[in-house]
Amino acid sequence: MNGFSERDTVFLAEMGLGPLWRLRAAPVPAADGDVLVEEAPAVQAAAPAEARPAAFDAAPVQPPAQPVRPAPAADTAVAPAAEPVRAPQPPARPPAPPAPSSPSYLPPGPRPLQPVAQSVSALAPDDSAWDDAALPSDATPEEIAVMDWDQLGIAITACRRCSACRDGRAPVTGTGARQARWLVVAGASTAADEKARVPLAGDPGKLLDNMLLAVGRSRQQDVYITNLIKCRPLSPTGAERAPTGEEAAACRPYLERELALTGAGTVLTLGQIAANTLLGRPLPAPLAGVRGQAHVLEAAQGPVTLVASLHPGELLRRGADKAQAWIDLCRARAADGGMSGGTSDGRAG
């Protein structure tokens, strides 16, 4: 059977699989023996949307409103043809949704390409407490005299009161018990102090701890240790130098406030810089002129006892002078009302 039956045509049309073309008539033999075939009507070849590339769906070709049927040959009996089956049209594509500004799986916050440092800096206040320029740099002695511990530390960090305050400096604040019986005062900060950020760092500090332990004192319990000059004085070449009287006078209000905050009743000075400054003597004056006796120092909380002794750094260079330092410690202990713990004759090694 060369064509589709009418039943087959209806069945295929119901399934959406109608033929793309069909033979309208049987071939008719011509006089010269050739076979004449009636031309089939031109029918649009439209494949289902699923079998075509997406690019072809952009402008689908609409079928003609009325298909043209060619007239059958006069001498040929043609069976009535069924109506041409139109291929199903693909459904219209919905408009594409707009692209999201950022993937939905990203948490809220800076975009991946945005520098995090920029978002963090936007949250920081303009005047940051970590910026020296935002700190008070011109505190007067009257303002220093009413500061608490935190305010005092900030003022020391931002100090510009003398020539020792320089760019890149590392001022060294005190350490130890904030409620103390003794205030131990050295001269100027050293390179070791700057590195450790504590006064009397390194071997001098270890010797001092042993000396204090021998008379029943310690920085953990009842001693506060500090430097008179918080910054390390340097020469133009970068070498350490002796502090000037101006630098000592500029730092004295900080020391006096530390003495008032600790409430210490005894001041033990180490070296001639601290002793001469507090006793109102010229800095180069020999320490021997003030050793061997207890002095009265006027403080905010009232009179306190001052005992001058040798610097532990000098004792490390001249071990024979440790005996003199031991006498000074015993004098300070006696002025403080006796010994609390320790040994009666123990000496620092």
Side-chain angles (χ1 to χ4, degrees):
M1 186 174 181
N2 295 330
F4 290 97
S5 66
E6 196 170 329
R7 177 185 177 187
D8 294 338
T9 302
V10 175
F11 177 77
L12 293 175
E14 291 294 333
M15 297 182 63
L17 301 175
L20 300 182
W21 63 82
R22 59 183 302 178
L23 189 62
R24 293 297 183 182
V28 180
D32 54 0
D34 293 334
V35 177
L36 297 179
V37 180
E38 179 185 350
E39 293 184 358
V43 181
Q44 176 190 359
E50 293 78 1
R52 291 178 296 181
F56 292 114
D57 292 333
V61 180
Q62 299 296 332
Q66 296 181 355
V68 181
R69 297 181 182 178
D75 56 352
T76 305
V78 180
E83 291 293 331
V85 180
R86 295 184 181 182
Q89 297 297 323
R93 288 175 174 266
S101 58
S102 62
S104 59
Y105 58 83
L106 290 179
R111 295 295 181 264
L113 298 180
Q114 179 182 3
V116 177
Q118 180 180 356
S119 61
V120 173
S121 61
L123 300 177
D126 293 337
D127 295 333
S128 174
W130 298 102
D131 183 9
D132 286 352
L135 299 175
S137 59
D138 55 351
T140 64
E142 293 76 17
E143 293 171 339
I144 296 173
V146 295
M147 290 180 175
D148 58 21
W149 282 112
D150 293 337
Q151 294 169 337
L152 185 63
I154 293 175
I156 293 174
T157 301
C159 182
R160 298 288 192 277
R161 291 174 54 84
C162 70
S163 56
C165 301
R166 64 197 184 281
D167 293 336
R169 74 201 186 292
V172 179
T173 57
T175 184
R178 291 190 170 183
Q179 295 296 318
R181 300 180 65 174
W182 284 20
L183 178 71
V184 178
V185 185
S189 299
T190 65
D193 296 349
E194 277 191 349
K195 183 177 181 180
R197 302 308 296 270
V198 294
L200 289 164
D203 292 338
K206 295 177 182 178
L207 178 57
L208 176 62
D209 288 339
N210 292 336
M211 293 166 60
L212 294 173
L213 186 61
V215 293
R217 299 285 181 264
S218 70
R219 70 174 80 197
Q220 290 79 18
Q221 295 181 356
D222 49 17
V223 176
Y224 188 82
I225 302 174
T226 188
N227 291 325
L228 169 64
I229 301 173
K230 310 304 182 184
C231 298
R232 179 165 61 113
L234 295 178
S235 66
T237 61
E240 290 188 3
R241 59 169 175 81
T244 65
E246 177 189 3
E247 293 167 347
C251 282
R252 179 167 180 165
Y254 297 128
L255 176 62
E256 292 177 345
R257 187 56 184 162
E258 288 174 314
L259 176 59
L261 289 173
T262 59
T266 300
V267 176
L268 177 67
T269 61
L270 305 177
Q272 67 184 50
I273 300 298
N276 289 338
T277 298
L278 293 179
L279 294 176
R281 290 160 46 92
L283 293 186
L287 182 63
V290 295
R291 281 192 62 253
Q293 58 182 314
H295 303 268
V296 177
L297 178 66
E298 294 296 331
Q301 67 268 36
V304 299
T305 302
L306 184 149
V307 175
S309 186
L310 301 170
H311 195 282
E314 299 177 4
L315 300 179
L316 291 174
R317 293 189 294 268
R318 297 189 301 271
D321 292 342
K322 289 181 180 180
Q324 300 181 35
W326 172 247
I327 295 174
D328 298 333
L329 288 174
C330 292
R331 183 174 289 108
R333 181 187 63 186
D336 188 33
M339 186 170 182
S340 300
T343 58
S344 59
D345 58 352
R347 299 194 180 186

